Amino acid sequence: MMAKTRAVARGLAIGVAVIGAMGLVPAVTPAPLMAQGRQVLTHETLWMMKRVGAPSISPDGRWVVYAMNEPAYEADKAVSDLWLVPADGSAPPRRITNTKGGEDDVAWAPDSHRLAFSAKREGDEDAQIYVLDVAGGEAQRVTTVPFAARKPQWRPDGGAILFEASVWPGASDIDSQRKARAERKDRKFNMRTYDHSPVRYWNEWYDDRRPSLWLQSLDDGQPARDILSGTALAKEDGFFGVANGDGGVSLSPRWSPDGKDVVFVATTERWNAAFANVGYRLWALPVAGGEARELPAGAGGFSDLAFTPDGRHLLFNKTDRVEEVYSLPRLKRLVWNVGTAAEDVTPGFDREPAQFAVTPDSKSIFMLVPEGAGENLYRVPLAGGLPQKVIAPAVGGYTALDLAAKASGPVLVGLYGSAVNPVEVVRIDPVKRSHRLLTQVNVAQAATIDWAPPERFVFTSAGGRPIHNLIVKPPAFDPAKKYPLFVMMHGGPASSNPDQIGLRWNYHLLAAAGYVVLMSDYTGSTGYGEAFARAIKGDPLRTPANEINQAVDEAVRRFPYIDASNACAGGASYGGHLANWMEGATKRYKCLVSHAGEADLLTQWGESDFNYGRELSSGGVPWGDSPVWRDQSPVLHAAKWSTPMLMTIGERDYRVPLGNTLIMWTALQRMKVPSRLLVFPDAWHWITKPEDSRQFYREVHAWLAHYLKDGPQPKGGPVKP
């Protein structure tokens, strides 16, 4: 499978500065020198940068495939194709697909010559599985099913492909699935029906389809068959897979080493979501027929399933099922088909193994570990122990990792980037503690932009916690001048401010108009250990906001170029919650910007796409005795509001639904606070359409310019009494 990348979750990261003709980058990457004549970053420059996807290396270690998106403001002009590059960098990358639609879920065949992927091509009603020989020729469609076929997995002998699909219940084969689909399309009414929670997730309403696993033989020409839906497990009322941020549901299947079983993640507790943490479990299903059996890993959350190359162990990340707002994923090892319980690989390691890859000899594991603003490379023995840091770049970090399973030695590839270097595919050398570029997609353009890596500093909060911060300076920076301050508050809260490029709230694009940008990893942020992330429990807004304000004071003390009297603050999602809280908690900001912000804890609990975690955060049910529900609901402090606020929201947002923004807006108008509301009808939790994004930045810059630089009044004017 193509390696995942955390850059997606962080806001779509977009190489690295080249050092020497071979593109060798040392472990300690120096900040790029600022040159005369560099350009100020614009939305057009940022948006039109080509976007390099996570690399996947062939089993023999010879080839690396990756997707590259060539964006456009006009949707029909954007292009996404697969590219291939030798893992040794001996030749430049070449495009191996050239179609209107892109390819997803790329997987190498065991022979290292073929690729499988999911794509919706001409004549396809839904995405199907295609196979492509990298030596040349056209991709061949291998499935014809009446639903979207996703996430192909090659059987170890290369003779069949497993894939995932969401299917209608009670329909056991392709013909019955096609009939069930037609019946639903022919209904004369349009209605959704629910008897349990949850009813929606991120940007999609749930229907009665369920996840399943299908097998497509490549040898006998027979149609694909469902190997899961007929089992007792799949027929349980609460059966379901893991919901993903893109609205999809996955069982994360993996073939057993001998190809006789498929291991996957599923729950039978789906309907418990309204009143408990849903527990998932590991299952093994015999492909030849029979019932699924539970593996001895216990209940919790599972991700990143992988067998070691020698087939003896199953590895995975697991979060415990506990009554906490956050649990650190921990790397586990399970001896395959023995029956002994899973064991910790990294006992006592208080950091997340975000991604991992096993060496061909099955003796060592490389891991990507988020720490503060960076993401570092670690190594740990498969037998277990304390991971050892291999590479910790001074600027940026690695956002994807893959390793050749059948090479003679460790062949590692990944993505590397920073806030001033769009990500590029790299070959990682753990011995030399360095990497070199396999692609140079955006290197030349990045060198033309007037930007500098974020400056980092740490201070101790009033509560005694170390708070890590980033400072981004504007273009043509002059330390003798004074600059207005924009305080950007990250979402989550179980997240952090990474030293990476993002599209949604780009640090340098916000700074481009002449602002210093400050970002703080407040209590509740990740990358600083489990206790730090859990400390937000029962205190969802007050302490993080106080720490951000303390960070402003500390930044002003350290950096004389910041104009302490000229500051605004803003954020999205949980950052929007904080912006709404700041409205009543402080008068230090001249204006605020809130995207998808929570106005009322009770409203958010009832309207959002999950609720139980919010009860844990707020100390119990809303009708219980916890004062948090009232004390830390921003709208209940509206009597103190006076700071001008710009509010933005996607109309299809189910994570922080429109109702929260309307409550906030109504209260602002009722209190006669200068305010402006922007509703994006086509957006969900994030504003992703290019023209919508461009207009969002225009509006934000106009708002900041008016309050921080005496710019013109945003259209609509102040509220008059």
Side-chain angles (χ1 to χ4, degrees):
M1 288 293 291
M2 182 169 284
K4 69 175 184 177
T5 171
R6 291 172 62 85
V8 173
R10 288 172 168 171
L12 190 54
I14 304 230
V16 293
V18 182
I19 301 176
M22 295 301 293
L24 184 65
V25 182
V28 180
T29 309
L33 297 175
M34 300 305 293
Q36 295 296 322
R38 290 192 175 187
Q39 304 300 308
V40 175
L41 181 67
T42 66
H43 189 275
E44 290 73 20
T45 300
L46 177 69
W47 192 272
M48 294 301 290
M49 283 183 178
K50 297 174 182 178
R51 302 167 197 173
V52 179
S56 181
I57 192 166
S58 60
D60 62 8
R62 293 182 58 202
W63 300 100
V64 179
V65 66
Y66 61 94
M68 185 167 72
N69 177 269
E70 300 174 62
Y73 281 96
E74 302 83 5
D76 61 345
K77 294 182 179 179
V79 175
S80 180
D81 284 311
L82 296 180
W83 290 68
L84 191 72
V85 63
D88 61 4
S90 58
R94 61 182 176 90
R95 192 192 304 260
I96 59 172
T97 62
N98 191 0
T99 59
K100 187 174 182 179
E103 296 81 21
D104 295 315
D105 308 322
V106 179
W108 281 99
D111 61 14
S112 295
H113 295 301
R114 295 171 294 167
L115 296 168
F117 53 80
S118 175
K120 184 179 179 181
R121 298 196 163 179
E122 186 175 352
D124 294 335
E125 190 171 358
D126 294 290
Q128 301 294 317
I129 305 301
Y130 284 79
V131 170
L132 174 68
D133 192 320
V134 297
E138 294 295 324
Q140 302 298 311
R141 186 175 63 189
V142 297
T143 64
T144 305
V145 292
F147 41 73
R150 301 174 287 109
K151 301 184 185 302
Q153 293 279 316
W154 292 85
R155 196 169 64 194
D157 65 3
I161 292 176
L162 180 81
F163 64 91
E164 294 193 71
S166 293
V167 298
W168 304 110
S172 58
D173 55 28
I174 290 177
D175 288 339
S176 56
Q177 283 292 321
R178 187 173 287 111
K179 181 179 179 181
R181 177 175 177 165
E183 288 174 349
R184 285 160 175 80
K185 289 181 67 175
D186 292 342
R187 286 175 176 170
K188 297 185 181 299
F189 62 89
N190 186 11
M191 178 181 72
R192 300 187 184 101
T193 303
Y194 302 97
D195 297 303
H196 304 282
S197 290
V199 300
R200 59 188 186 183
Y201 190 72
W202 281 111
N203 61 332
E204 286 190 1
W205 287 88
Y206 284 133
D207 54 27
D208 58 342
R209 284 178 293 182
R210 290 190 169 200
S212 192
L213 302 174
W214 288 67
L215 187 65
Q216 176 65 64
S217 173
L218 301 181
D219 300 327
D220 56 15
Q222 295 298 308
R225 60 184 179 91
D226 189 333
I227 64 171
L228 178 60
S229 294
T231 65
L233 172 66
K235 292 178 181 178
E236 289 201 30
D237 193 38
F239 173 79
F240 211 57
V242 180
N244 297 320
D246 62 0
V249 176
S250 178
L251 298 167
S252 303
R254 291 291 183 271
W255 283 100
S256 67
D258 60 8
K260 295 181 179 179
D261 293 278
V262 173
V263 177
F264 61 96
V265 179
T267 185
T268 56
E269 304 174 14
R270 181 187 183 189
W271 308 132
N272 296 356
F275 51 82
N277 279 323
V278 172
Y280 288 81
R281 298 177 186 273
L282 286 183
W283 304 87
L285 178 69
V287 177
E291 297 295 336
R293 65 185 187 278
E294 184 182 344
L295 299 179
F302 296 86
S303 63
D304 307 301
L305 277 63
F307 279 95
T308 55
D310 64 10
R312 295 181 58 199
H313 294 91
L314 174 65
L315 299 173
F316 49 88
N317 276 331
K318 182 188 178 187
T319 54
D320 292 331
R321 186 187 182 195
V322 293
E323 299 294 285
E324 287 291 346
V325 296
Y326 173 81
S327 288
L328 189 74
R330 302 186 188 280
L331 184 59
K332 302 282 187 175
R333 178 188 64 247
L334 182 69
V335 180
W336 175 240
N337 264 350
V338 171
T340 55
E343 298 178 321
D344 283 342
V345 177
T346 59
F349 188 57
D350 195 25
R351 292 293 185 269
E352 175 188 356
Q355 298 178 52
F356 64 84
V358 188
T359 55
D361 61 8
S362 299
K363 292 182 179 179
S364 297
I365 303 170
F366 286 98
M367 308 187 306
L368 295 187
V369 177
E371 294 183 287
E375 195 152 0
N376 302 323
L377 182 69
Y378 278 75
R379 185 170 187 163
V380 66
L382 178 71
L386 185 65
Q388 300 299 308
K389 193 176 294 184
V390 178
I391 305 177
V395 174
Y398 300 104
T399 62
L401 180 70
D402 201 11
L403 195 153
K406 297 180 181 179
S408 58
V411 181
L412 279 77
V413 297
L415 289 179
Y416 174 83
S418 78
V420 296
N421 296 297
V423 295
E424 300 280 357
V425 179
V426 296
R427 172 77 176 265
I428 301 171
D429 189 333
V431 176
K432 295 182 179 179
R433 298 176 181 265
S434 64
H435 61 254
R436 62 187 178 91
L437 299 171
L438 294 180
T439 65
Q440 299 188 39
V441 175
N442 291 303
V443 171
Q445 186 173 27
T448 69
I449 301 171
D450 186 355
W451 52 8
E455 186 171 341
R456 307 182 189 189
F457 71 93
V458 183
F459 73 95
T460 301
S461 71
R465 295 192 184 100
I467 305 299
H468 292 246
N469 308 268
L470 298 180
I471 286 281
V472 171
K473 300 171 185 176
F477 175 73
D478 182 350
K481 293 183 178 180
K482 287 281 189 180
Y483 293 92
L485 178 68
F486 181 69
V487 179
M488 198 190 96
M489 301 174 289
H490 75 70
S495 182
S496 63
N497 291 299
D499 184 1
Q500 295 290 340
I501 292 176
L503 287 176
R504 294 167 186 143
W505 287 72
N506 182 271
Y507 314 152
H508 288 92
L509 190 54
L510 291 167
Y515 307 111
V516 170
V517 178
L518 169 66
M519 296 157 284
S520 302
D521 283 348
Y522 47 76
T523 294
S525 301
T526 52
Y528 308 99
E530 188 173 63
F532 190 91
R534 285 181 172 180
I536 199 172
K537 185 177 181 179
D539 185 15
L541 294 171
R542 181 176 281 112
T543 291
N546 289 343
E547 291 168 345
I548 290 167
N549 293 332
Q550 293 163 28
V552 173
D553 294 337
E554 182 69 17
V556 169
R557 185 184 70 80
R558 292 182 182 223
F559 308 111
Y561 51 79
I562 295 177
D563 184 352
S565 64
N566 213 16
C568 284
S573 191
Y574 180 83
H577 303 357
L578 285 169
N580 294 350
W581 176 258
M582 293 291 192
E583 181 68 66
T586 180
K587 303 298 182 186
R588 69 166 60 218
Y589 301 111
K590 286 189 172 181
C591 69
L592 295 166
V593 180
S594 173
H595 175 75
E598 171 188 86
D600 175 48
L601 295 178
L602 176 59
T603 301
Q604 178 69 356
W605 170 83
E607 288 191 355
S608 186
D609 55 355
F610 73 94
N611 63 289
Y612 187 66
R614 304 186 191 283
E615 294 177 20
L616 293 176
S617 177
S618 298
V621 294
W623 50 88
D625 57 5
S626 173
V628 173
W629 293 100
R630 290 192 59 83
D631 290 352
Q632 297 198 34
S633 285
V635 72
L636 299 184
H637 299 269
K640 297 181 285 185
W641 290 2
S642 62
T643 305
M645 176 174 278
L646 173 67
M647 306 192 68
T648 66
I649 186 68
E651 193 170 337
R652 298 191 299 114
D653 190 349
Y654 302 150
R655 176 50 51 95
V656 185
L658 177 64
N660 268 283
T661 298
L662 294 180
I663 288 173
M664 197 74 192
W665 167 253
T666 300
L668 287 165
Q669 293 285 296
R670 177 66 178 82
M671 293 302 296
K672 302 183 178 65
V673 177
S675 45
R676 184 168 173 80
L677 173 63
L678 312 174
V679 180
F680 292 86
D682 298 328
W684 50 300
H685 196 54
W686 295 290
I687 300 169
T688 57
K689 287 194 171 182
E691 290 292 359
D692 287 354
S693 174
R694 178 154 56 181
Q695 185 60 26
F696 167 80
Y697 277 101
R698 286 172 180 156
E699 293 274 359
V700 171
H701 276 296
W703 189 258
L704 297 180
H706 175 67
Y707 289 102
L708 298 183
K709 294 185 172 184
D710 297 321
Q713 176 77 36
K715 187 176 180 181
V719 177
K720 297 180 180 180

